[in-house]
Short mmCIF file of all heavy atoms in Angstrom, two decimals:
data_model
loop_
_atom_site.label_atom_id
_atom_site.label_comp_id
_atom_site.label_asym_id
_atom_site.label_seq_id
_atom_site.Cartn_x
_atom_site.Cartn_y
_atom_site.Cartn_z
N ALA A 6 89.37 119.18 76.54
CA ALA A 6 90.10 120.18 77.27
C ALA A 6 91.11 120.90 76.36
O ALA A 6 91.20 122.12 76.39
CB ALA A 6 90.80 119.54 78.46
N GLU A 7 91.85 120.11 75.59
CA GLU A 7 92.86 120.71 74.71
C GLU A 7 92.24 121.64 73.67
O GLU A 7 92.84 122.63 73.29
CB GLU A 7 93.69 119.63 74.05
CG GLU A 7 94.58 118.88 75.01
CD GLU A 7 95.33 117.72 74.37
OE1 GLU A 7 95.02 117.35 73.23
OE2 GLU A 7 96.24 117.20 75.02
N MET A 8 91.04 121.31 73.21
CA MET A 8 90.38 122.12 72.18
C MET A 8 90.10 123.54 72.67
O MET A 8 90.06 124.47 71.88
CB MET A 8 89.09 121.46 71.72
CG MET A 8 89.33 120.20 70.90
SD MET A 8 87.82 119.30 70.47
CE MET A 8 86.89 120.53 69.61
N VAL A 9 89.89 123.69 73.97
CA VAL A 9 89.61 125.03 74.51
C VAL A 9 90.78 125.61 75.29
O VAL A 9 90.65 126.56 76.04
CB VAL A 9 88.33 125.02 75.39
CG1 VAL A 9 87.10 124.73 74.55
CG2 VAL A 9 88.45 124.04 76.53
N GLY A 10 91.95 124.99 75.14
CA GLY A 10 93.17 125.53 75.72
C GLY A 10 93.43 125.19 77.18
O GLY A 10 94.20 125.85 77.85
N ILE A 11 92.76 124.15 77.66
CA ILE A 11 92.99 123.71 79.05
C ILE A 11 94.08 122.64 79.05
O ILE A 11 94.00 121.67 78.30
CB ILE A 11 91.69 123.17 79.69
CG1 ILE A 11 90.63 124.27 79.73
CG2 ILE A 11 91.97 122.61 81.07
CD1 ILE A 11 89.26 123.78 80.14
N ARG A 12 95.07 122.84 79.88
CA ARG A 12 96.18 121.88 80.00
C ARG A 12 95.65 120.54 80.52
O ARG A 12 94.87 120.50 81.46
CB ARG A 12 97.24 122.43 80.96
CG ARG A 12 98.43 121.53 81.10
CD ARG A 12 99.48 122.19 82.00
NE ARG A 12 100.39 121.16 82.44
CZ ARG A 12 100.67 120.89 83.69
NH1 ARG A 12 100.13 121.60 84.65
NH2 ARG A 12 101.50 119.93 84.02
N PHE A 13 96.09 119.48 79.90
CA PHE A 13 95.68 118.14 80.29
C PHE A 13 96.91 117.27 80.43
O PHE A 13 97.80 117.28 79.57
CB PHE A 13 94.74 117.55 79.23
CG PHE A 13 94.39 116.13 79.46
CD1 PHE A 13 93.38 115.77 80.33
CD2 PHE A 13 95.07 115.11 78.81
CE1 PHE A 13 93.07 114.44 80.55
CE2 PHE A 13 94.77 113.78 79.01
CZ PHE A 13 93.77 113.45 79.89
N GLU A 14 97.00 116.55 81.53
CA GLU A 14 98.10 115.63 81.74
C GLU A 14 97.55 114.36 82.37
O GLU A 14 96.84 114.41 83.36
CB GLU A 14 99.14 116.25 82.67
CG GLU A 14 100.40 115.43 82.83
CD GLU A 14 101.46 116.16 83.61
OE1 GLU A 14 101.44 117.40 83.67
OE2 GLU A 14 102.33 115.46 84.17
N GLU A 15 97.89 113.24 81.77
CA GLU A 15 97.43 111.95 82.28
C GLU A 15 98.36 111.46 83.37
O GLU A 15 99.58 111.50 83.23
CB GLU A 15 97.34 110.93 81.16
CG GLU A 15 96.58 109.70 81.54
CD GLU A 15 96.28 108.81 80.34
OE1 GLU A 15 96.35 109.28 79.20
OE2 GLU A 15 95.98 107.64 80.57
N VAL A 16 97.78 111.01 84.48
CA VAL A 16 98.55 110.50 85.62
C VAL A 16 97.97 109.15 86.02
O VAL A 16 96.75 108.99 86.10
CB VAL A 16 98.46 111.47 86.82
CG1 VAL A 16 99.14 110.89 88.06
CG2 VAL A 16 99.05 112.82 86.48
N LYS A 17 98.84 108.18 86.27
CA LYS A 17 98.37 106.90 86.77
C LYS A 17 97.84 107.08 88.19
O LYS A 17 98.54 107.59 89.06
CB LYS A 17 99.48 105.87 86.77
CG LYS A 17 99.88 105.39 85.40
CD LYS A 17 100.89 104.29 85.49
CE LYS A 17 101.27 103.80 84.10
NZ LYS A 17 102.18 102.66 84.16
N ALA A 18 96.59 106.68 88.40
CA ALA A 18 95.95 106.88 89.70
C ALA A 18 96.17 105.69 90.64
O ALA A 18 95.69 105.72 91.77
CB ALA A 18 94.46 107.12 89.50
N GLU A 19 96.90 104.68 90.19
CA GLU A 19 97.11 103.50 91.03
C GLU A 19 97.74 103.89 92.36
O GLU A 19 98.73 104.62 92.40
CB GLU A 19 98.03 102.49 90.32
CG GLU A 19 97.41 101.88 89.09
CD GLU A 19 98.41 101.02 88.34
OE1 GLU A 19 99.55 101.46 88.13
OE2 GLU A 19 98.02 99.90 87.99
N TYR A 20 97.17 103.39 93.42
CA TYR A 20 97.67 103.55 94.79
C TYR A 20 97.64 104.97 95.33
O TYR A 20 98.10 105.20 96.44
CB TYR A 20 99.10 102.98 94.92
CG TYR A 20 99.24 101.58 94.37
CD1 TYR A 20 100.01 101.34 93.23
CD2 TYR A 20 98.60 100.50 94.97
CE1 TYR A 20 100.15 100.07 92.72
CE2 TYR A 20 98.72 99.21 94.45
CZ TYR A 20 99.50 99.01 93.34
OH TYR A 20 99.62 97.74 92.84
N THR A 21 97.08 105.93 94.61
CA THR A 21 97.12 107.31 95.09
C THR A 21 96.28 107.50 96.35
O THR A 21 96.62 108.34 97.18
CB THR A 21 96.64 108.31 94.01
OG1 THR A 21 95.35 107.93 93.55
CG2 THR A 21 97.62 108.37 92.86
N SER A 22 95.21 106.72 96.50
CA SER A 22 94.40 106.88 97.70
C SER A 22 94.85 105.94 98.83
O SER A 22 94.26 105.92 99.90
CB SER A 22 92.91 106.64 97.40
OG SER A 22 92.70 105.31 96.99
N GLN A 23 95.93 105.20 98.60
CA GLN A 23 96.51 104.35 99.63
C GLN A 23 97.86 104.87 100.10
O GLN A 23 98.45 104.35 101.03
CB GLN A 23 96.72 102.93 99.10
CG GLN A 23 95.47 102.21 98.70
CD GLN A 23 95.76 100.85 98.07
OE1 GLN A 23 96.89 100.40 98.05
NE2 GLN A 23 94.72 100.22 97.57
N THR A 24 98.36 105.93 99.46
CA THR A 24 99.69 106.46 99.74
C THR A 24 99.58 107.73 100.55
O THR A 24 98.81 108.64 100.22
CB THR A 24 100.44 106.76 98.43
OG1 THR A 24 100.49 105.56 97.66
CG2 THR A 24 101.85 107.24 98.71
N CYS A 25 100.35 107.82 101.62
CA CYS A 25 100.33 108.98 102.51
C CYS A 25 101.29 110.05 102.02
O CYS A 25 102.23 109.77 101.28
CB CYS A 25 100.71 108.55 103.91
SG CYS A 25 100.65 109.89 105.13
N LYS A 26 101.08 111.26 102.50
CA LYS A 26 102.00 112.36 102.18
C LYS A 26 103.39 112.09 102.73
O LYS A 26 104.37 112.64 102.25
CB LYS A 26 101.46 113.69 102.69
CG LYS A 26 101.29 113.77 104.18
CD LYS A 26 100.70 115.11 104.58
CE LYS A 26 100.59 115.22 106.09
NZ LYS A 26 100.09 116.55 106.47
N CYS A 27 103.49 111.19 103.73
CA CYS A 27 104.81 110.84 104.27
C CYS A 27 105.51 109.82 103.38
O CYS A 27 106.67 109.48 103.61
CB CYS A 27 104.68 110.30 105.69
SG CYS A 27 104.04 108.61 105.84
N GLY A 28 104.79 109.31 102.36
CA GLY A 28 105.37 108.36 101.42
C GLY A 28 105.03 106.91 101.69
O GLY A 28 105.28 106.03 100.88
N HIS A 29 104.42 106.64 102.85
CA HIS A 29 104.07 105.25 103.20
C HIS A 29 102.84 104.81 102.41
O HIS A 29 101.83 105.50 102.38
CB HIS A 29 103.78 105.16 104.71
CG HIS A 29 103.36 103.80 105.14
ND1 HIS A 29 104.24 102.74 105.19
CD2 HIS A 29 102.16 103.32 105.54
CE1 HIS A 29 103.58 101.66 105.61
NE2 HIS A 29 102.33 102.00 105.83
N ARG A 30 102.94 103.64 101.76
CA ARG A 30 101.83 103.09 101.00
C ARG A 30 101.48 101.72 101.58
O ARG A 30 102.33 100.86 101.73
CB ARG A 30 102.18 102.94 99.53
CG ARG A 30 100.99 102.41 98.72
CD ARG A 30 101.31 102.30 97.28
NE ARG A 30 102.01 101.05 97.03
CZ ARG A 30 102.74 100.80 95.96
NH1 ARG A 30 102.91 101.72 95.04
NH2 ARG A 30 103.33 99.64 95.81
N GLU A 31 100.20 101.57 101.90
CA GLU A 31 99.71 100.31 102.45
C GLU A 31 98.22 100.22 102.13
O GLU A 31 97.49 101.20 102.31
CB GLU A 31 99.93 100.30 103.97
CG GLU A 31 99.63 98.99 104.64
CD GLU A 31 100.02 99.02 106.11
OE1 GLU A 31 101.05 99.62 106.48
OE2 GLU A 31 99.28 98.40 106.89
N LYS A 32 97.78 99.06 101.68
CA LYS A 32 96.37 98.89 101.32
C LYS A 32 95.45 99.22 102.50
O LYS A 32 94.41 99.85 102.33
CB LYS A 32 96.12 97.46 100.85
CG LYS A 32 94.72 97.24 100.33
CD LYS A 32 94.55 95.84 99.76
CE LYS A 32 93.16 95.66 99.19
NZ LYS A 32 92.97 94.36 98.59
N SER A 33 95.86 98.85 103.71
CA SER A 33 95.01 99.08 104.87
C SER A 33 95.00 100.54 105.33
O SER A 33 94.26 100.90 106.25
CB SER A 33 95.41 98.17 106.04
OG SER A 33 96.71 98.45 106.47
N ASN A 34 95.78 101.42 104.68
CA ASN A 34 95.68 102.85 104.97
C ASN A 34 94.29 103.37 104.60
O ASN A 34 93.81 104.33 105.18
CB ASN A 34 96.71 103.66 104.16
CG ASN A 34 98.09 103.64 104.78
OD1 ASN A 34 98.29 103.21 105.90
ND2 ASN A 34 99.07 104.10 104.01
N ARG A 35 93.68 102.73 103.60
CA ARG A 35 92.35 103.16 103.14
C ARG A 35 91.30 102.17 103.61
O ARG A 35 91.41 100.96 103.40
CB ARG A 35 92.30 103.26 101.62
CG ARG A 35 90.93 103.70 101.16
CD ARG A 35 90.82 103.93 99.69
NE ARG A 35 89.46 104.37 99.41
CZ ARG A 35 89.10 105.08 98.37
NH1 ARG A 35 89.99 105.43 97.50
NH2 ARG A 35 87.84 105.43 98.20
N ASN A 36 90.27 102.70 104.25
CA ASN A 36 89.12 101.91 104.66
C ASN A 36 87.87 102.64 104.15
O ASN A 36 87.43 103.62 104.76
CB ASN A 36 89.08 101.76 106.19
CG ASN A 36 87.93 100.90 106.65
OD1 ASN A 36 87.21 100.31 105.85
ND2 ASN A 36 87.75 100.83 107.96
N ARG A 37 87.38 102.19 103.02
CA ARG A 37 86.28 102.85 102.32
C ARG A 37 86.63 104.29 102.02
O ARG A 37 87.52 104.55 101.25
CB ARG A 37 84.97 102.70 103.08
CG ARG A 37 84.53 101.26 103.20
CD ARG A 37 83.19 101.15 103.80
NE ARG A 37 82.83 99.74 103.90
CZ ARG A 37 81.60 99.33 103.99
NH1 ARG A 37 80.61 100.20 104.01
NH2 ARG A 37 81.35 98.05 104.06
N LEU A 38 85.97 105.25 102.65
CA LEU A 38 86.24 106.67 102.36
C LEU A 38 87.20 107.31 103.36
O LEU A 38 87.50 108.49 103.25
CB LEU A 38 84.93 107.46 102.33
CG LEU A 38 83.98 107.07 101.20
CD1 LEU A 38 82.69 107.88 101.30
CD2 LEU A 38 84.63 107.25 99.85
N ARG A 39 87.68 106.53 104.30
CA ARG A 39 88.59 107.07 105.32
C ARG A 39 90.02 106.64 105.03
O ARG A 39 90.31 105.47 104.82
CB ARG A 39 88.17 106.56 106.70
CG ARG A 39 89.05 107.02 107.83
CD ARG A 39 88.58 106.40 109.14
NE ARG A 39 89.56 106.56 110.20
CZ ARG A 39 89.57 107.55 111.08
NH1 ARG A 39 88.66 108.49 111.00
NH2 ARG A 39 90.48 107.61 112.01
N PHE A 40 90.91 107.61 105.05
CA PHE A 40 92.33 107.33 104.92
C PHE A 40 92.98 107.62 106.25
O PHE A 40 92.80 108.70 106.82
CB PHE A 40 92.97 108.21 103.84
CG PHE A 40 94.46 108.05 103.76
CD1 PHE A 40 95.01 107.07 102.96
CD2 PHE A 40 95.31 108.83 104.52
CE1 PHE A 40 96.39 106.88 102.90
CE2 PHE A 40 96.68 108.65 104.48
CZ PHE A 40 97.22 107.67 103.67
N GLN A 41 93.73 106.66 106.76
CA GLN A 41 94.55 106.89 107.96
C GLN A 41 95.85 106.14 107.78
O GLN A 41 95.86 104.91 107.67
CB GLN A 41 93.86 106.44 109.24
CG GLN A 41 94.70 106.74 110.47
CD GLN A 41 93.97 106.53 111.77
OE1 GLN A 41 92.87 106.01 111.81
NE2 GLN A 41 94.58 106.96 112.85
N CYS A 42 96.95 106.88 107.75
CA CYS A 42 98.25 106.28 107.54
C CYS A 42 98.65 105.43 108.75
O CYS A 42 98.60 105.90 109.90
CB CYS A 42 99.30 107.38 107.31
SG CYS A 42 100.97 106.72 107.02
N LYS A 43 99.03 104.21 108.50
CA LYS A 43 99.45 103.29 109.55
C LYS A 43 100.82 103.66 110.10
O LYS A 43 101.18 103.24 111.19
CB LYS A 43 99.48 101.85 109.06
CG LYS A 43 98.16 101.36 108.49
CD LYS A 43 97.07 101.37 109.53
CE LYS A 43 95.79 100.85 108.93
NZ LYS A 43 94.62 101.15 109.71
N GLN A 44 101.56 104.50 109.37
CA GLN A 44 102.90 104.88 109.82
C GLN A 44 102.91 106.19 110.61
O GLN A 44 103.44 106.25 111.71
CB GLN A 44 103.86 104.98 108.64
CG GLN A 44 105.30 105.27 109.04
CD GLN A 44 106.24 105.07 107.87
OE1 GLN A 44 106.18 104.05 107.19
NE2 GLN A 44 107.10 106.05 107.65
N CYS A 45 102.32 107.25 110.04
CA CYS A 45 102.40 108.55 110.72
C CYS A 45 101.09 109.00 111.36
O CYS A 45 101.07 109.98 112.09
CB CYS A 45 102.90 109.63 109.75
SG CYS A 45 101.68 110.18 108.53
N GLY A 46 99.96 108.33 111.03
CA GLY A 46 98.68 108.66 111.65
C GLY A 46 97.86 109.73 110.93
O GLY A 46 96.78 110.08 111.38
N PHE A 47 98.37 110.26 109.82
CA PHE A 47 97.64 111.30 109.06
C PHE A 47 96.26 110.77 108.68
O PHE A 47 96.11 109.64 108.22
CB PHE A 47 98.43 111.66 107.79
CG PHE A 47 97.72 112.61 106.87
CD1 PHE A 47 97.49 113.92 107.23
CD2 PHE A 47 97.28 112.19 105.63
CE1 PHE A 47 96.85 114.80 106.39
CE2 PHE A 47 96.63 113.04 104.77
CZ PHE A 47 96.42 114.36 105.15
N ILE A 48 95.21 111.60 108.88
CA ILE A 48 93.82 111.22 108.58
C ILE A 48 93.26 112.19 107.55
O ILE A 48 93.45 113.42 107.66
CB ILE A 48 92.95 111.24 109.85
CG1 ILE A 48 93.46 110.22 110.86
CG2 ILE A 48 91.49 110.97 109.50
CD1 ILE A 48 92.78 110.29 112.21
N CYS A 49 92.53 111.64 106.57
CA CYS A 49 91.97 112.45 105.50
C CYS A 49 90.88 111.63 104.80
O CYS A 49 90.84 110.42 104.95
CB CYS A 49 93.10 112.79 104.52
SG CYS A 49 92.69 113.94 103.21
N HIS A 50 90.01 112.28 104.05
CA HIS A 50 89.07 111.58 103.18
C HIS A 50 89.93 110.88 102.11
O HIS A 50 90.82 111.49 101.53
CB HIS A 50 88.11 112.58 102.54
CG HIS A 50 87.00 111.93 101.78
ND1 HIS A 50 87.20 111.33 100.55
CD2 HIS A 50 85.69 111.79 102.08
CE1 HIS A 50 86.04 110.86 100.11
NE2 HIS A 50 85.11 111.12 101.04
N ALA A 51 89.67 109.61 101.87
CA ALA A 51 90.51 108.83 100.95
C ALA A 51 90.57 109.42 99.55
O ALA A 51 91.64 109.43 98.92
CB ALA A 51 90.03 107.39 100.91
N ASP A 52 89.45 109.90 99.04
CA ASP A 52 89.44 110.49 97.69
C ASP A 52 90.21 111.81 97.64
O ASP A 52 90.89 112.11 96.67
CB ASP A 52 88.02 110.67 97.19
CG ASP A 52 87.31 109.34 96.96
OD1 ASP A 52 88.00 108.31 96.78
OD2 ASP A 52 86.06 109.33 96.96
N LEU A 53 90.10 112.60 98.70
CA LEU A 53 90.87 113.84 98.76
C LEU A 53 92.36 113.52 98.83
O LEU A 53 93.17 114.17 98.15
CB LEU A 53 90.45 114.68 99.97
CG LEU A 53 91.26 115.94 100.23
CD1 LEU A 53 91.22 116.88 99.03
CD2 LEU A 53 90.78 116.64 101.49
N ASN A 54 92.72 112.53 99.61
CA ASN A 54 94.11 112.12 99.69
C ASN A 54 94.63 111.70 98.31
O ASN A 54 95.73 112.10 97.92
CB ASN A 54 94.26 110.98 100.69
CG ASN A 54 95.70 110.59 100.89
OD1 ASN A 54 96.48 111.37 101.40
ND2 ASN A 54 96.06 109.38 100.48
N GLY A 55 93.84 110.93 97.57
CA GLY A 55 94.23 110.53 96.22
C GLY A 55 94.39 111.73 95.30
O GLY A 55 95.35 111.82 94.52
N ALA A 56 93.48 112.70 95.40
CA ALA A 56 93.54 113.90 94.56
C ALA A 56 94.79 114.72 94.88
O ALA A 56 95.44 115.26 93.98
CB ALA A 56 92.29 114.74 94.76
N ILE A 57 95.14 114.79 96.15
CA ILE A 57 96.36 115.51 96.55
C ILE A 57 97.58 114.83 95.93
O ILE A 57 98.47 115.51 95.40
CB ILE A 57 96.46 115.58 98.08
CG1 ILE A 57 95.39 116.51 98.66
CG2 ILE A 57 97.87 116.02 98.54
CD1 ILE A 57 95.21 116.41 100.16
N ASN A 58 97.61 113.51 95.98
CA ASN A 58 98.75 112.78 95.41
C ASN A 58 98.82 112.93 93.89
O ASN A 58 99.91 113.05 93.34
CB ASN A 58 98.69 111.31 95.80
CG ASN A 58 99.07 111.09 97.24
OD1 ASN A 58 99.94 111.78 97.78
ND2 ASN A 58 98.45 110.13 97.89
N ILE A 59 97.67 112.98 93.23
CA ILE A 59 97.66 113.21 91.78
C ILE A 59 98.16 114.62 91.49
O ILE A 59 98.96 114.83 90.56
CB ILE A 59 96.25 112.96 91.21
CG1 ILE A 59 95.95 111.46 91.23
CG2 ILE A 59 96.13 113.53 89.79
CD1 ILE A 59 94.51 111.11 90.90
N GLY A 60 97.73 115.59 92.27
CA GLY A 60 98.21 116.97 92.09
C GLY A 60 99.70 117.08 92.28
O GLY A 60 100.39 117.77 91.54
N LYS A 61 100.24 116.35 93.26
CA LYS A 61 101.69 116.34 93.47
C LYS A 61 102.40 115.72 92.29
O LYS A 61 103.46 116.18 91.88
CB LYS A 61 102.01 115.59 94.76
CG LYS A 61 101.65 116.36 96.02
CD LYS A 61 101.73 115.54 97.28
CE LYS A 61 103.11 115.01 97.57
NZ LYS A 61 103.18 114.29 98.87
N ALA A 62 101.83 114.67 91.71
CA ALA A 62 102.44 114.02 90.55
C ALA A 62 102.48 114.97 89.35
O ALA A 62 103.49 115.04 88.63
CB ALA A 62 101.69 112.73 90.20
N ILE A 63 101.41 115.70 89.13
CA ILE A 63 101.36 116.64 88.01
C ILE A 63 102.36 117.80 88.19
O ILE A 63 103.01 118.20 87.26
CB ILE A 63 99.93 117.19 87.85
CG1 ILE A 63 99.00 116.10 87.33
CG2 ILE A 63 99.90 118.40 86.89
CD1 ILE A 63 97.53 116.47 87.33
N SER A 64 102.49 118.25 89.43
CA SER A 64 103.37 119.38 89.68
C SER A 64 104.84 118.99 89.77
O SER A 64 105.72 119.85 89.85
CB SER A 64 102.96 120.10 90.97
OG SER A 64 103.24 119.25 92.09
N GLY A 65 105.09 117.68 89.80
CA GLY A 65 106.47 117.19 89.90
C GLY A 65 106.96 117.08 91.32
O GLY A 65 108.14 116.85 91.56
N LEU A 66 106.07 117.21 92.30
CA LEU A 66 106.47 117.15 93.71
C LEU A 66 106.38 115.74 94.28
O LEU A 66 106.79 115.52 95.43
CB LEU A 66 105.59 118.09 94.55
CG LEU A 66 105.73 119.57 94.22
CD1 LEU A 66 104.71 120.38 95.02
CD2 LEU A 66 107.13 120.06 94.48
N ALA A 67 105.84 114.79 93.53
CA ALA A 67 105.70 113.42 94.04
C ALA A 67 107.08 112.78 94.18
O ALA A 67 107.99 113.07 93.42
CB ALA A 67 104.84 112.59 93.09
N ALA A 68 107.18 111.92 95.18
CA ALA A 68 108.47 111.25 95.44
C ALA A 68 108.80 110.24 94.37
O ALA A 68 108.06 109.71 93.68
CB ALA A 68 108.42 110.56 96.79
#
């Protein structure tokens, strides 16, 4: 990526698909490909939820 001028930033992916946008992290939030927050009820595809959290980490918006 760097060779062709694409910005690259490494982010730890640990717990990103278990953590909700409300900040609640719990292993049981993720059930295979389904994410449902046990605290606020937010539902999403688990991998999409992880990608959103990684994007927030890169942009500096993560808690």
Side-chain angles (χ1 to χ4, degrees):
E7 291 176 348
M8 289 174 57
V9 294
I11 298 171
R12 182 176 162 235
F13 173 83
E14 187 173 337
E15 193 169 342
V16 174
K17 288 186 179 183
E19 293 174 313
Y20 310 113
T21 55
S22 65
Q23 297 175 7
T24 304
C25 183
K26 62 182 182 177
C27 75
H29 178 72
R30 183 178 83 199
E31 187 174 324
K32 186 175 182 178
S33 64
N34 279 349
R35 180 176 181 155
N36 183 6
R37 297 186 181 202
L38 295 178
R39 179 183 167 93
F40 174 88
Q41 182 170 9
C42 181
K43 303 298 181 196
Q44 185 168 311
C45 75
F47 174 69
I48 298 172
C49 187
H50 188 287
D52 293 338
L53 175 58
N54 185 65
I57 290 167
N58 286 326
I59 289 171
K61 287 170 61 175
I63 290 171
S64 68
L66 297 174

